[in-house]
Amino acid sequence: MTNLPPPAEELRILDAELRQLDMRRAVLLQRRAWLVHALQATAARQPAQGAGAAPGGWPAGTGPGAAARRPEATAPGVQNVLLVLGGVLLVTAAIAFTLVSWGHLGIAGRALVLAALTAGALAAPVALLRRGLRSTAEALSALGTALTVLDAYALHEVAFTGTDGVGYAAAASAVLAALWAAYGVRLGLCHPLPLAVATAHLPLPLWAIAVGAGPHALTAGLLATAAGGTAVALRAASAPVRVVAVVGALGTGATGVLSAGWLCWSAPGPGTSAQGAALLVAAAAIALVAGRSVPKREVAVAVATAAGLCLVAAAGGMLRVSAPAEWTVPGCLLCALALLAAERTPLARPLRRGLVHASAVVQGCAVLWTLPLVAGTVLGPAARVATPWSGAPRTFRDAVFTQVPHPPYAGTVPLVLAVVAGVLVVAGRHTHRRPALTVAALVLGWAALLVLPVALQVPYPVGLVAQAAVVAAALGLAVREDRAGEVPSPLTLTALLLALLTSADLALLALASESATVGVLVALTVLFGAAALRPGPAPFTAPAALAHGTALACALGARAEVPPQHTALLVLVVPAVAVLVASRWGGSRATVPVEAAGGAAGLLAVALAVPDPPMLALVLSLCGVVVAASALRPERRAAGWAAAVLFLAAAWVRLAAWEVAVPEAYTLPVAGPALVVGFLRRRRDAALSSWTAYGAGLGAGLAPSLLAVWNDQHWLRPLLLGVAALAVTLVGARRRLQAPLVLGGAVLALVALHELAPYLTQVVGALPRWAPPALAGLVLLVLGATYEHRLRDARRLREALGRLR
């Protein structure tokens, strides 16, 4: 058997071994950190041995007990900073020498100094590259390129002082771009080529400005420069060169396109407009050619979209000066539709998609152009509410735009809307977006039909008939698309909403004439009532029919010149019809909207009858009858409470009209039915509390009379109220009911106190002044002496009352 040491000795041995392992692990981690740092600094760097390093390869200042120190900057980073800083300082010194100290030297001295500096800066990178010092070579070559700019400036100041500065800048930028490009290609340096590409964007625009060329030539120069930059961007292998070329091409191209568009659309005649259009076409051609070679699909689509917009802008600018103004937008729309033919061309798919996107953008802009007329046609009729039956206008446009001027160039708005709607219908036939496109086409088609009478300036009656036809068409579409038992589709909902909106506009427009108002409201009521026979549209069409019927009742009353309070009786026909229809439909989805519309009509009838209290009482009672009829349905039993409230309100209004001031006339009609209802509820539910069953009725019957007793100087009301309170108290005691017992007893006590109050007053007045305090003190002494007994009696009384129901 193995001899195991004692536990204490074994624990000591284990602790010693663990400490040795921890020390060894710390040493290895320090060595690893130093090796990682050495590899990250540079692959060629070797750890120094001797003065700079500790024995065993450890860095100076490190060892098994010290952590390796990592430098905060790498050697290549320090080198680049020093080279850039040195180049900047040398360029600054050269500029200062050229601008400040130029005059202290002669012509030969100046030439020799600049030539020597430039030649040295440009030649030094050759030797540096042979030695592998590429960063230093890049820094000195950057200095040399900067010195060439100073050479060009010095040459102009010495030899070409009489030349135009802009022209010289154009030539110098061209020469410098060529020299930098050759220099960069020859030596394989990084910065000369991007610098040459950026400078190459300057010669043509500067040359056009120098020779005094017109805006068309300057725009052509910008587009040509953009074409060159695009070619360089597509063919360059260096990423910095491509980035500089793309940025320059986008900048000059966008400027050229905007300038060409402005020249085309602001031209006074066809000739100058054609020149601008030609520039736009050239820009589109450049974009399409570039799009064929762009590797990224999204970029190609964007470039083709820009090309399509340039083509449409060119055609639109020509149409603006050669056709009437109202046909400019339709002409642009026609050009946009022509772009859709690109789908059948052999162009690449991204280019075809981009042209289609451009067509969609133009169509959207054309629709936005129609919005002022559409919005005015929809919102303009609201102004008729302020001046009803003021006389039928001559044209339908005058009826719509009564207080605001109509938008110009409105004659072609229906055509634009109809064309875009047709395009959406055709485009959505074979795509998964067909439902959305169909809804959009329906809205645009409705807008076209809505503004057509306004655009054609048809007579007022013809416009009303046209609007009614739009309502009928929308309702017919909703009925045709209805699927029994299914939720209405987006197309059906859209058609219903358009029908409702058009009907509201039509009703407002009809306010110009009495006969038109009645005729339109009759037609709308019939149309929506017929559409309500289908279950799908019924939740929308049935309430609309009731709303138009309510308006028709008001119009008939106003035409008959009857007071508004009498018109309320005619309006009450609508709630009655609503209750009848709701009872026939049962649990249909249209039941609640129909009842809501009937309730709104009832509120309108009440509001009309408010000035005449007798008529208001009659209207309230009729409303109570209608609501009570609705409460006959099992699912509307709760409406019985509303009917009771309406009957009570009718009774109160009638009493107020008769100038009845006796409060019992108002309270007993409430208290009696409430007690009867409580009695019936307790018969069905024996556990129901007496406060729930009789509290409201007893409070309504006793409390107002009790308040009136304290201001009544006669004996009849106190007597009757006391008898009634005594009877209630006896019934409560007989039936062991808490609410009648407490309320009846309290009222009886207060009535008795009221009757004894005069005598108590006389007694108090006859007593000496010291008697009331003495009596109060005596009472307090008695109560204090029998305090515990009184508390026990009060507790027994409370328990007795608690046992009552």
Side-chain angles (χ1 to χ4, degrees):
M1 295 180 64
T2 303
N3 294 325
L4 296 175
E9 182 65 17
E10 184 179 3
L11 180 61
R12 185 187 62 79
I13 295 173
L14 291 177
D15 290 339
E17 291 180 355
L18 288 174
R19 283 195 296 270
Q20 293 178 0
L21 290 175
D22 291 339
M23 293 176 60
R24 181 60 179 168
R25 186 174 185 276
V27 172
L28 294 176
L29 288 176
Q30 292 172 2
R31 181 65 178 176
R32 181 183 182 279
W34 182 85
L35 291 173
V36 170
H37 164 66
L39 291 175
Q40 288 179 346
T42 174
R45 183 178 178 183
Q46 298 294 333
Q49 299 289 339
W58 294 94
T62 65
R69 295 187 180 91
R70 300 181 62 180
E72 297 181 358
T74 61
V78 174
Q79 179 185 4
N80 292 334
V81 171
L82 294 177
L83 291 175
V84 171
L85 183 58
V88 170
L89 292 177
L90 289 175
V91 171
T92 304
I95 294 174
F97 169 76
T98 304
L99 297 178
V100 178
S101 301
W102 186 258
H104 298 289
L105 299 176
I107 296 177
R110 301 169 188 171
L112 288 175
V113 171
L114 278 179
L117 289 175
T118 305
L122 294 177
V126 178
L128 293 174
L129 289 174
R130 292 175 183 175
R131 296 176 178 269
L133 302 176
R134 175 167 291 274
S135 298
T136 308
E138 289 283 354
L140 288 179
S141 66
L143 175 62
T145 53
L147 288 175
T148 55
V149 178
L150 295 178
D151 289 336
Y153 169 75
L155 186 62
H156 176 267
E157 292 297 322
V158 174
F160 299 99
T161 55
T163 60
D164 179 51
V166 180
Y168 181 80
S173 59
V175 173
L176 290 176
L179 291 176
W180 290 342
Y183 183 71
V185 172
R186 178 67 180 81
L187 298 183
L189 296 174
C190 294
H191 83 278
L193 283 178
L195 188 60
V197 172
T199 308
H201 288 82
L202 301 177
L204 281 179
L206 291 177
W207 173 81
I209 296 173
V211 299
H216 292 85
L218 179 58
T219 303
L222 290 171
L223 294 177
T225 302
T230 303
V232 172
L234 293 175
R235 295 184 178 275
S238 174
V241 173
R242 288 198 304 270
V243 171
V244 173
V246 168
V247 173
L250 288 177
T252 54
T255 306
V257 168
L258 293 177
S259 176
W262 179 78
L263 292 173
C264 182
W265 281 80
S266 63
T272 53
S273 179
Q275 294 177 5
L279 293 173
L280 287 173
V281 172
I286 295 171
L288 289 176
V289 172
R292 294 180 58 184
S293 305
V294 172
K296 290 187 176 181
R297 182 176 181 180
E298 296 79 6
V299 178
V301 171
V303 170
T305 302
L309 294 177
C310 289
L311 292 175
V312 174
M318 292 293 295
L319 286 172
R320 188 189 65 84
V321 295
S322 58
E326 61 182 357
W327 287 98
T328 301
V329 174
C332 293
L333 180 60
L334 182 61
C335 297
L337 297 182
L339 292 179
L340 296 177
E343 286 288 347
R344 302 184 180 276
T345 60
L347 291 174
R349 180 173 178 80
L351 298 183
R352 298 200 306 268
R353 286 191 60 189
L355 293 177
V356 172
H357 289 175
S359 176
V361 170
V362 175
Q363 293 179 52
C365 294
V367 172
L368 291 178
W369 174 74
T370 65
L371 285 183
L373 183 62
V374 176
T377 305
V378 173
L379 302 177
R384 283 286 168 187
V385 177
T387 57
W389 295 353
S390 57
R394 186 177 60 87
T395 64
F396 189 73
R397 189 177 70 178
D398 296 334
V400 173
F401 295 94
T402 55
Q403 298 181 359
V404 293
H406 61 85
Y409 314 130
T412 56
V413 169
L415 176 62
V416 170
L417 292 170
V419 169
V420 177
V423 171
L424 292 178
V425 171
V426 175
R429 287 186 302 177
H430 304 293
T431 64
H432 64 282
R433 296 179 297 174
R434 180 178 180 180
L437 293 178
T438 304
V439 170
L442 175 61
V443 174
L444 293 178
W446 164 81
L449 294 176
L450 187 71
V451 301
L452 184 60
V454 178
L456 298 179
Q457 301 186 36
V458 300
Y460 175 69
V462 177
L464 294 180
V465 174
Q467 297 286 68
V470 173
V471 177
L475 289 177
L477 178 62
V479 171
R480 185 175 65 85
E481 293 292 328
D482 178 41
R483 300 292 185 268
E486 297 182 3
V487 178
S489 64
L491 183 62
T492 302
L493 293 176
T494 304
L496 289 172
L497 293 177
L498 295 178
L500 292 173
L501 181 59
T502 310
S503 67
D505 278 346
L506 180 58
L508 292 173
L509 288 171
L511 289 176
S513 171
E514 295 184 19
S515 57
T517 301
V518 175
V520 165
L521 291 176
V522 169
L524 292 177
T525 304
V526 172
L527 283 175
F528 282 96
L533 298 178
R534 297 298 299 268
F540 298 89
T541 54
L546 293 175
H548 291 303
T550 303
L552 176 61
C554 295
L556 291 176
R559 190 174 188 184
E561 298 182 356
V562 299
Q565 56 268 27
H566 294 164
T567 305
L569 297 176
L570 189 59
V571 173
L572 284 178
V573 175
V574 176
V577 174
V579 170
L580 178 62
V581 171
S583 64
R584 295 290 299 275
W585 284 349
S588 172
R589 290 184 291 109
T591 302
V592 174
V594 166
E595 291 175 340
L603 291 177
L604 177 61
V606 171
L608 292 174
V610 165
D612 188 357
M615 184 58 66
L616 177 60
L618 178 59
V619 170
L620 289 172
S621 61
L622 292 177
C623 289
V625 172
V626 173
V627 175
S630 177
L632 295 177
R633 294 155 47 199
E635 67 274 13
R636 291 291 183 266
R637 295 300 188 194
W641 296 102
V645 172
L646 289 172
F647 285 130
L648 178 63
W652 284 358
V653 172
R654 183 71 262 182
L655 291 174
W658 286 337
E659 298 181 357
V660 175
V662 179
E664 288 77 10
Y666 297 89
T667 58
L668 293 182
V670 179
L675 293 175
V676 172
V677 171
F679 176 74
L680 296 177
R681 289 189 62 186
R682 277 187 59 84
R683 289 187 62 181
R684 290 195 302 268
D685 185 8
L688 187 67
S689 171
S690 62
W691 288 101
T692 304
Y694 304 117
L698 292 175
L702 297 176
S705 299
L706 180 62
L707 294 177
V709 162
W710 289 92
N711 294 324
D712 194 351
Q713 303 298 327
H714 299 85
W715 58 271
L716 182 58
R717 177 178 282 118
L719 177 61
L720 295 178
L721 180 60
V723 171
L726 179 60
V728 170
T729 304
L730 294 177
V731 171
R734 177 69 179 83
R735 298 290 183 181
R736 300 179 61 82
L737 299 176
Q738 188 179 104
L741 182 61
V742 173
L743 292 178
V747 171
L748 183 60
L750 291 175
V751 170
L753 180 62
H754 172 267
E755 295 300 315
L756 295 176
Y759 303 102
L760 294 177
T761 303
Q762 294 177 4
V763 171
V764 172
L767 291 175
R769 293 180 179 271
W770 53 267
L775 181 61
L778 181 61
V779 170
L780 291 176
L781 287 176
V782 173
L783 290 177
T786 59
Y787 181 73
E788 185 177 359
H789 183 69
R790 300 304 176 190
L791 285 180
R792 185 169 59 253
D793 293 342
R795 190 180 299 111
R796 291 175 179 174
L797 177 61
R798 185 183 62 186
E799 292 174 354
L801 289 175
R803 287 192 295 270
L804 301 178
R805 289 176 294 174

